[in-house]
Amino acid sequence: MRLHASRELVMTEKNFVDNLFVIKKVWMEPVFSSANSPKPIIPYQAARVIFFGVAALHAHASHFYREMDYALGSYERGQGPVEGREDDGMRIGALFRANDRHWSDFIAYVRNYGAAMNCLKQLQDYKPYLRYHEECMMQKRTNRQSLKDLLMLPIQRITRYTLLLKNILKHTPAVHSDHIDLCRAVKNVTHFATIVNECRRKQEEMQRVAEVFRGIESCPPFPHAESRSFGSEFFVRELISRLPTRLLLFSDMLLVAQASPQVTIDDSGSADPEADWTYYGFASLDDVEVQNADESTSTLITILSLNRNLTSSDNHVASRPSLPFGTDSLANAIRLTRVDG
């Protein structure tokens, strides 16, 4: 079983190397060769982001595969286990430990992955890219995988390493000379997988925040904040104008958008999903005051200082002294819903 598990690791590493080679030969080389043409397959600056780190990963994976293949081949050529011995001499864990220095290539690739996907999205209407992409999808060696599919493979490989190594460790006796190195390799790769998952989580949250901003008409370009996350949104009415108002709660601010008076907010606090919302302002959470409006369950939300634009860091003058909104309920100064009437 240890031999079978080791074979699976080596075979999947070969497949990984082959797919990285496809990215290089089918995509990278033609794309960069067309960089100086009037209509390149992918504009040069976008290509640098999209293919960042692929060459380094291919070089690392190719070297790693040759080392593992040699170790497995030596075992199968007769240097394997001797009857009565529990140590077959195959040091897969040691090879992983020796290649620890290369895992930074994976981390750098993962951290750039979100930017690479954003560049790909921007190419969806770019005809030279679309024509070439269609040609590549028809090629046998791409196995009908899109560029997006191929670029996802290094992300998936980290998780796969963890599963494959754990399977080899499961069938490795504690007295085996490779057992300690395998344990350390599993620990290290699991740690890298955690880093990868956290990077992906942050990237997905950043994309979600960007999509929320894009859904608000005239929303200004807020400065990038890696720690910013989107919490929830609530539909209320401004108590003075009675305009339908959308409050979007982020981890560091409250964004306010408004719609035309014709937009309705139902009893459940939901608004027409097709409504157009226009940017009205934003406020730091420190400038949001919550207080009971009366003895009922109603709550009054007052934004003490509503910023209307981002032209100056000192521009914190509200368009009016305060902007009150009525709500039905509030949980921990975060959950907001609509007031009736």
Side-chain angles (χ1 to χ4, degrees), residues 215-230:
I216 304 297
E217 185 178 343
S218 301
C219 187
F222 285 94
H224 170 73
E226 186 172 321
S227 60
R228 178 179 294 141
S229 61
F230 175 65

Side-chain angles (χ1 to χ4, degrees), residues 215-217 246 257-260 263 272-278:
I216 304 297
E217 185 178 343
R246 184 179 175 187
Q258 291 190 325
S260 66
V263 173
D272 180 1
E274 301 299 322
D276 294 324
W277 297 92
T278 302

Side-chain angles (χ1 to χ4, degrees), residues 245-297:
T245 302
R246 184 179 175 187
L247 303 180
L248 299 107
L249 182 66
F250 296 85
S251 57
D252 60 340
M253 68 176 184
L254 187 71
L255 190 146
V256 182
Q258 291 190 325
S260 66
Q262 289 73 32
V263 173
T264 59
I265 301 176
D266 61 29
D267 293 338
S268 66
S270 300
D272 180 1
E274 301 299 322
D276 294 324
W277 297 92
T278 302
Y279 173 77
Y280 188 81
F282 76 98
S284 164
L285 294 185
D286 291 336
D287 290 329
V288 178
E289 183 179 274
V290 181
Q291 61 188 30
N292 290 330
D294 51 42
E295 294 180 356
S296 70
T297 58

Side-chain angles (χ1 to χ4, degrees), residues 20-54:
L20 290 174
F21 184 77
V22 168
I23 298 176
K24 286 185 64 178
K25 290 299 180 181
V26 175
W27 280 101
M28 286 180 65
E29 292 182 5
V31 164
F32 286 113
S33 295
S34 73
N36 294 324
S37 65
K39 291 186 177 180
I41 298 172
I42 297 175
Y44 177 72
Q45 292 300 331
R48 288 187 62 189
V49 176
I50 290 170
F51 298 111
F52 173 84
V54 171

